[in-house]
């Protein structure tokens, strides 16, 4: 990842990064583009305010499965927990139009989705205004860059490493970035075009921590969308 030094933090040469962000897989760009095209056909009301968009689940779910089943993600050291104990998956689809503002520095572990929501499409508004109730156990965040990197300006996914250095994630379409959910990160304002991302969260299930790893073949419908059953 590209590295820049923060204004307020001295970069420490050679500092160890215990749970460094990982860029671990490329999702097929054509799949991303098809997904973005489908998302663009939704009406604003269907895309608004974080309500579940159930019929986007299929394509989103395929990408979620592809991302979180990659061996490098499965092998990620997650606060000492083996990932087979951390297979409770949530995901959301985010759309960042030019007026979406900035997703400020945050940890994902303290921002939650309601149990049972897989795919959400957020059309506008500052992302950190729609935090839901706390969900314990979220330990890995997996982001998928779904838009062509040159189709928008701004919208950089930035992550702070243990030394406070700001890492800027690759913008290339189909890039998957996995980070410890407790790691500070943000998305800078989009100043041209639209950025669409999918964000998946893996955590410890409150019921069923011993489930096997996620596979693409097991899903269960819930009232407000789909939850992936690992
Ligand atoms: O859009 C992204 O790449 C990251 C979004 C994010 O960090 C979040 O929704 O919590
Ligand atoms: Fe986040």
């Amino acid at each position: 990842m590209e590295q820049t030094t923060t204004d307020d933090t001295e970069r420490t040469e050679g500092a160890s990064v215990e749970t460094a962000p990982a860029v671990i897989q490329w999702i097929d760009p054509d799949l991303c583009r098809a997904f973005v095209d489908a998302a663009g056909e939704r009406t604003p009301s269907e895309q608004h305010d974080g309500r579940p968009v159930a019929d986007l689940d299929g394509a989103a779910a395929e990408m979620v499965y592809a991302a979180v089943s990659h061996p490098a993600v499965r092998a990620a050291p997650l606060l000492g927990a083996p990932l087979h104990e951390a297979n409770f998956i949530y995901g959301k689809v985010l759309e960042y139009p030019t007026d979406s503002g900035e997703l400020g520095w945050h940890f994902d572990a303290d921002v939650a989705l309601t149990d049972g929501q897989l795919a959400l499409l957020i059309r506008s508004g500052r992302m950190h205004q729609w935090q839901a109730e706390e969900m314990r156990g979220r330990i890995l965040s997996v982001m998928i860059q779904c838009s062509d990197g040159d189709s928008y300006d701004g919208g950089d996914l930035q992550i702070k490493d243990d030394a406070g250095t700001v890492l800027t994630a690759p913008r290339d379409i189909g890039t998957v970035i996995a980070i410890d959910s407790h790691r500070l990160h943000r998305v800078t304002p989009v100043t041209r075009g639209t950025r669409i991302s999918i964000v998946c969260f893996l955590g410890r299930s409150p019921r069923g921590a011993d489930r096997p790893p996620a596979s693409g073949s097991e899903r269960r419908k819930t009232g407000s969308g789909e939850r992936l059953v690992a």
Side-chain angles (χ1 to χ4, degrees), residues 17-164:
V17 180
E18 292 176 11
T19 52
V23 179
I24 44 85
Q25 189 188 15
W26 295 78
I27 302 288
D28 181 353
D30 286 342
L31 183 58
C32 293
R33 292 189 186 105
F35 173 69
V36 166
D37 287 348
E41 291 169 3
R42 310 302 303 168
T43 66
S45 64
E46 289 170 310
Q47 295 180 322
H48 201 54
D49 287 342
R51 287 195 294 255
V53 183
D55 58 356
L56 290 179
D57 283 358
E62 290 310 310
M63 288 192 271
V64 166
Y65 284 129
V68 303
S69 61
H70 189 274
V73 171
R74 307 306 302 184
L78 300 169
L79 308 177
L83 194 50
H84 64 78
E85 294 180 1
N87 54 16
F88 201 55
I89 300 171
Y90 297 78
K92 58 185 176 181
V93 179
L94 300 178
E95 182 171 351
Y96 298 78
T98 50
D99 63 352
S100 65
E102 180 178 13
L103 174 56
W105 291 109
H106 68 287
F107 305 102
D108 281 329
D110 62 2
V111 182
L113 294 176
T114 304
D115 190 348
Q117 293 181 342
L118 167 63
L120 306 182
L121 194 63
I122 309 299
R123 176 167 279 283
S124 64
R126 293 175 69 86
M127 299 304 172
H128 51 283
Q129 290 180 346
W130 48 263
Q131 300 170 18
E133 72 277 15
E134 186 176 4
M135 186 276 285
R136 298 184 209 290
R138 186 182 292 186
I139 59 177
L140 186 75
S141 302
V142 181
M143 291 75 153
I144 306 171
Q145 300 277 31
C146 293
S147 296
D148 275 300
D150 59 4
S151 68
Y152 62 94
D153 291 331
D156 277 318
L157 171 60
Q158 297 184 322
I159 299 151
K160 285 193 181 181
D161 73 8
D162 290 345

